[in-house]
Amino acid sequence: MRSLTPVLTAGALLALGFSGCDDAARKPTQAKVPALQPAPTSTQASQYQIDQSTIGPLPIWNPGSHPPKSLLRVPDGKTWLIARVEEKFAAGEAEYKAGHLEAARKDFDEAVDWILESGYDPNSDPKLRELFQRVVDTVYGYELQAFQAGDGFREAPAVPAAIDEVADMTFPVDPGLKARAEEAAKNISHDLPLTVNDEVLSFLNFFQTPRGKAIVETGLRRGGRYQEMIARVLREEGIPQDMIYLAQAESAFQPLALSRAGARGIWQFVAWRGNEYGLRHTWWVDERQDPEKATRAAAQHLRDLYGLFGDWYLAMAAYNCGPGNVQKGIERTGYADFWELYRRNVLPKETKNYVPIILALTLIAKDAAHYGIQVDRDEAVPTDVVKPGRAIDLRLVAETIDVDVETLHQLNPSLLRLATPDDPSFELHLPKGSAEKFSAGIADIPPEKWVSWRRHKVAPGDTVTSIAKKYKVTPAAVASANNLEKGAELNPGDKLIIPATAPASEKSRLVQYRVRKGDTLGGIADRYSVNPEDLRKWNHLKAARVSRGMVLRIYTIGGAPEAASSRTRPRRKAGSSAKSRATPASAVAKNQ
């Protein structure tokens, strides 16, 4: 759903009268079947600069390998270890800031491994303890931001909205298709008027090509997951059941669909319109991607639009481009009729195609076999719903109930991060039958540790030391959290509590984004979860418009740092071309 102009107030629209079509005789012939019923804190400079000549002889080993256990016997070994860890950690930070993530990961891992494999207990020395805590905190924060797929600071990759692929295209009309389509329209049950004209026939023709058929089949297949829920909500809101095909046209029922204009979800709400209908968009959740909540909001919006225009075709057009644009077209032509506005070319091209696309999909979906399409629809996925009551890491949830994180993401598409919001009212969907297992398992971990602690299922060959290394904690911490005696054997299948370090505090990160064709200021702001007005200020934009090729500064997470100069203007840099619009992480970023 895209709005191209400011929306008129409801009062203003209701005050306007809609005239009928006085010259209907001039309209082309068409068959119209009436409706059957109406980034983390940087470490300080090394505090442990030392003169290596005072250390004494050192053991010899391959510089590319980890230090051997004999490091313990070196005079001033702790001091030497601290210096080496600081050096490796600083190298990792330099690589990270330069955008060399794999190299940074290697340096950070080695910095942590040197401490864990040195044989020293980090708690035995204040300096070593402070260094270990600082390194692990910062590395963990960086990992959350950039390294781990689907991590706590990077949104799950979006997918292109289906409507973007065909909305601005035109296709030839197959003359032999018209008679068959008209006959089929008369024989199918429907609660929206079904017009069969050349505009609709052109998309009927496209949807029978290999590419068009793939779009239809994907939508019909995925739609099975949501069909029952959508039908119920539309019925409760008094909206024609055939409006489900608007969602198929918009997104092919993909909750993570993202349009060029920043519209999201199966009903493609832009941020401000979603907010108008109660869909929250925070750092942690975007309810436009919640299938049921977004369906409720879309039904209410369509009902409001029908109340303004008294016509479902005009309501659909207004859903796409905003009621203001439709009203302007009516005022310019004197016709409150979609096809007249179409022929008089007073609607945006995408909107002109929007209604024919929906009608074509409706005709095909209701009689798929007639159009040579066979699809096995997905079934709805039953779930258990729990209210954690506070923030919890999805990895901990997955490890507790023995499912993968991807399953949790599919059941909770509104979650943008790898953790739930710290909101007592948030409802987390789990696989059917797992609620009791979750409640029993999570009780072993203090609620304040739900965003950092983990669970580990012991595999053959696992040891306390190897597990501790994997999660970058000390073996002593793992043993203590699980009441394990020294040298205790682990049984495969057992689950251990891992007292992982809490993530570092959130800081802003500067990314640079090159504007692409079709981008809007609001869409870009929404993609990076920032305020459009802030985006204007950061880039000294006088108007809420952006042009293709512009490079914008965007301060993600915590907003622009106070020390950032407000006079700094964006500069184009070599290699700053943007990648696919489907993935927000594809922007040119200093940390990528």
Side-chain angles (χ1 to χ4, degrees):
M1 183 185 68
R2 304 151 185 83
S3 181
L4 305 180
T5 64
V7 181
L8 298 180
T9 64
L13 286 172
L14 288 172
L16 295 169
F18 300 112
S19 59
C21 298
D22 296 329
D23 56 349
R26 290 183 290 173
K27 295 182 182 179
T29 302
Q30 59 184 343
K32 186 170 184 178
V33 182
L36 300 185
Q37 55 188 32
T41 306
S42 300
T43 56
Q44 301 171 351
S46 174
Q47 303 173 19
Y48 311 106
Q49 300 297 328
I50 61 174
D51 183 356
Q52 295 190 20
S53 65
T54 65
I55 296 178
L58 300 178
I60 298 176
W61 72 88
N62 183 346
S65 66
H66 297 310
K69 296 293 190 259
S70 58
L71 176 62
L72 299 177
R73 308 293 176 240
V74 178
D76 295 324
K78 287 183 182 177
T79 304
W80 188 92
L81 173 64
I82 288 172
R84 298 283 70 75
V85 172
E86 285 276 13
E87 182 180 274
K88 184 59 67 175
F89 180 61
E93 285 211 302
E95 296 284 9
Y96 180 87
K97 292 174 181 177
H100 306 148
L101 298 189
E102 288 304 318
R105 185 206 296 270
K106 181 179 178 181
D107 287 336
F108 287 148
D109 284 346
E110 288 191 15
V112 174
D113 289 346
W114 277 42
I115 297 177
L116 294 178
E117 296 181 1
S118 69
Y120 287 120
D121 179 358
N123 293 318
S124 65
D125 180 90
K127 290 184 178 180
L128 190 58
R129 180 174 63 249
E130 185 276 334
L131 174 61
F132 178 70
Q133 190 68 41
R134 177 160 51 88
V135 170
V136 171
D137 281 355
T138 307
V139 171
Y140 186 72
Y142 281 148
E143 286 181 338
L144 283 179
Q145 290 187 49
F147 294 153
Q148 299 173 2
D151 60 50
F153 288 90
R154 187 175 62 206
E155 295 186 17
V159 299
I163 195 68
D164 281 345
E165 186 167 351
V166 295
D168 57 355
M169 301 176 67
T170 56
F171 306 96
V173 176
D174 179 0
L177 188 61
K178 185 172 184 178
R180 291 191 292 119
E182 290 176 348
E183 185 63 26
K186 296 176 183 178
N187 296 325
I188 59 177
S189 173
H190 55 95
D191 57 5
L192 275 178
L194 293 180
T195 297
V196 179
N197 56 17
D198 284 352
E199 290 74 25
V200 175
L201 289 170
S202 70
F203 286 102
L204 272 177
N205 189 37
F206 167 70
F207 287 133
Q208 291 183 83
T209 65
R211 180 61 193 140
K213 185 176 292 187
I215 294 174
V216 174
E217 290 174 346
T218 298
L220 290 178
R221 183 179 66 253
R222 291 186 59 87
R225 305 182 193 183
Y226 309 109
Q227 185 171 8
E228 183 178 337
M229 176 273 292
I230 293 175
R232 170 176 54 81
V233 173
L234 294 180
R235 184 168 56 252
E236 291 171 354
E237 297 293 338
I239 302 300
Q241 291 290 301
D242 288 347
M243 279 298 179
I244 189 175
Y245 303 112
L246 184 151
Q248 180 172 347
E250 286 277 13
S251 66
F253 300 104
Q254 173 55 263
L256 300 183
L258 173 67
S259 76
R260 289 190 293 259
R264 284 183 182 266
I266 64 174
W267 293 93
Q268 288 290 283
F269 276 97
V270 291
W272 63 269
R273 180 70 79 189
N275 183 67
E276 183 179 24
Y277 283 88
L279 299 179
R280 294 183 305 154
H281 181 202
T282 69
W283 178 250
W284 301 103
V285 298
D286 191 337
E287 291 180 343
R288 294 175 297 166
Q289 296 179 180
D290 183 303
E292 182 159 353
K293 290 182 178 179
T295 298
R296 181 77 60 183
Q300 293 172 352
H301 184 37
L302 285 166
R303 186 181 61 201
D304 290 345
L305 293 172
Y306 183 78
L308 294 176
F309 297 106
D311 179 273
W312 284 117
Y313 287 3
L314 293 177
M316 288 189 286
Y319 188 94
N320 177 254
C321 68
N325 270 325
V326 175
Q327 182 57 38
K328 287 179 182 177
I330 293 172
E331 292 174 349
R332 287 177 58 186
T333 65
Y335 290 97
D337 177 84
F338 172 78
W339 298 112
E340 279 298 324
L341 301 183
Y342 184 107
R343 282 185 284 273
R344 294 168 187 267
N345 202 31
V346 293
L347 294 174
K349 182 177 181 180
E350 179 182 319
T351 305
K352 290 176 64 178
N353 288 343
Y354 187 73
V355 173
I357 288 172
I358 296 171
L359 295 177
L361 287 173
T362 302
L363 289 167
I364 292 174
K366 286 180 170 293
D367 194 9
H370 179 81
Y371 294 96
I373 294 177
Q374 299 290 335
V375 175
D376 292 327
R377 297 175 183 261
D378 293 346
E379 295 184 358
V381 180
T383 63
D384 286 346
V385 179
V386 298
K387 289 185 177 182
R390 63 188 304 157
I392 185 169
D393 193 309
L394 289 187
R395 290 170 295 187
L396 177 60
V397 177
E399 292 155 359
T400 300
I401 62 175
D402 294 312
V403 301
D404 56 85
V405 173
E406 179 58 29
T407 295
L408 294 178
H409 271 304
Q410 290 176 357
L411 297 180
N412 300 274
S414 67
L415 285 176
L416 300 178
R417 316 294 166 187
L418 200 65
T420 67
D422 191 10
D423 177 2
S425 67
F426 178 79
E427 295 182 343
L428 180 66
H429 292 260
L430 304 177
K432 190 69 175 178
S434 61
E436 291 186 8
K437 185 176 183 179
F438 168 75
S439 298
I442 207 65
D444 295 336
I445 298 178
E448 64 272 14
K449 303 297 184 182
W450 287 356
V451 292
S452 56
W453 285 21
R454 302 281 299 280
R455 279 189 179 275
H456 176 83
K457 190 173 184 178
V458 177
D462 275 351
T463 65
V464 172
T465 300
S466 66
I467 295 170
K469 180 180 178 181
K470 176 180 179 179
Y471 293 97
K472 296 183 173 62
V473 297
T474 64
V478 175
S480 176
N482 295 277
N483 296 316
L484 298 175
E485 296 182 359
K486 187 175 182 180
E489 292 187 5
L490 303 179
N491 298 316
D494 287 351
K495 285 190 176 181
L496 299 182
I497 296 172
I498 309 298
T501 308
S505 60
E506 299 171 12
K507 297 292 183 181
S508 62
R509 292 182 297 143
L510 172 63
V511 301
Q512 292 181 322
Y513 177 82
R514 187 181 296 277
V515 178
R516 292 162 293 190
K517 181 181 179 181
D519 278 343
T520 65
L521 187 75
I524 297 170
D526 178 59
R527 189 173 300 173
Y528 288 92
S529 299
V530 298
N531 187 293
E533 189 59 32
D534 288 339
L535 188 56
R536 285 183 59 185
K537 291 178 181 178
W538 298 334
N539 294 279
H540 307 280
L541 299 176
K542 295 182 179 180
R545 291 194 300 272
V546 290
S547 303
R548 183 178 181 180
M550 292 175 62
V551 177
L552 302 179
R553 287 174 173 265
I554 305 174
Y555 293 94
T556 66
I557 303 178
E562 293 181 4
S565 171
S566 61
R567 296 179 179 275
T568 304
R569 292 184 177 274
R571 294 179 299 171
R572 298 191 181 188
K573 293 188 176 183
S576 61
S577 61
K579 298 180 183 178
S580 169
R581 63 176 173 81
T583 52
S586 67
V588 183
K590 290 195 173 183
N591 63 324
Q592 297 217 338

